[in-house]
Amino acid sequence: MRKIISIAVCMLACSMVFAASFSSVEGKLFNDKSFIFPDDLLEERSVIIALTLSSSRKNGEEQQKHFIEWQKKLKETSSKLNSITVYHISVIDGAPFFVRGAIRNGIAKEYGDLVKETQGGVLYLSKSERFASDARIPIDGEPTLVVLSATGSIEGFVKGAYSSDRMLQLQSLLGM
């Protein structure tokens, strides 16, 4: 019962906070093609954005490990969410242009075959705090799974490493 109450409180808090959306910014997919985030990722139904927002390289790498576990759990055949598209997007603040390709390739390599080259990418920003603030998502070192509607509005997000409770929160945000 306590789990149900905590999930309900979290969902209520998320629903009251959101009417936010991401600013449109240019990024690079793992396959080196340019894209506009989030516009080019929108589909006919909601998608999940595994968003790495961190203040350090080490924390970004830790979040990526958690997202790899999330990806495996989301794509299991027994998962209710295995048909939902998941995009893995890393936000990198202040990277010099001459190392950006190496950074993107390193991130893509860590995901390996788990994530298609067209479902992962990097946004190189000079003000990631402003980007996160505009979307009303705190930069707190936790992996963030954002549910993005077909119209581009943020329906809510789940923060943290995979757990069955967080999976239920994600399902609830997706109306499942």
Side-chain angles (χ1 to χ4, degrees), residues 123-171:
L123 305 178
Y124 298 103
L125 304 176
S126 60
K127 302 279 186 196
S128 61
E129 295 90 6
R130 190 165 123 202
F131 172 80
S133 176
D134 288 349
R136 298 185 186 154
I137 297 174
I139 300 176
D140 59 4
E142 293 292 320
T144 307
L145 294 158
V146 180
V147 175
L148 196 61
S149 74
T151 61
S153 65
I154 297 172
E155 295 178 349
F157 59 83
V158 175
K159 285 193 156 281
Y162 171 82
S163 73
S164 57
D165 287 346
R166 289 186 180 112
M167 180 68 94
L168 289 173
Q169 291 173 2
L170 194 57
Q171 288 174 353

Side-chain angles (χ1 to χ4, degrees), residues 2-3 14 25 32 39 53 62 73 98 127 129 137 146 151 159 161-162 165 175:
R2 185 184 286 176
K3 273 186 190 179
C14 285
V25 295
D32 197 35
D39 310 24
L53 281 168
E62 289 171 12
K73 295 293 187 182
F98 56 88
K127 302 279 186 196
E129 295 90 6
I137 297 174
V146 180
T151 61
K159 285 193 156 281
Y162 171 82
D165 287 346

Side-chain angles (χ1 to χ4, degrees), residues 20-77:
S21 59
F22 287 108
S23 303
S24 292
V25 295
E26 189 173 335
K28 287 274 191 169
L29 294 171
F30 289 165
N31 65 3
D32 197 35
K33 295 198 179 190
S34 295
F35 75 107
I36 302 298
F37 177 86
D39 310 24
D40 291 342
L41 307 182
L42 300 178
E43 298 183 3
E44 290 182 17
R45 62 181 180 166
S46 296
V47 297
I48 298 170
I49 307 292
L51 188 66
T52 303
L53 281 168
S54 68
S55 56
S56 72
R57 176 181 174 176
K58 181 179 179 185
N59 179 255
E61 291 169 351
E62 289 171 12
Q63 287 186 44
Q64 186 177 27
K65 288 177 184 172
H66 290 298
F67 284 137
I68 288 170
E69 182 179 1
W70 268 107
Q71 180 71 18
K72 289 176 182 176
K73 295 293 187 182
L74 289 167
K75 293 306 172 184
E76 287 178 350
T77 54

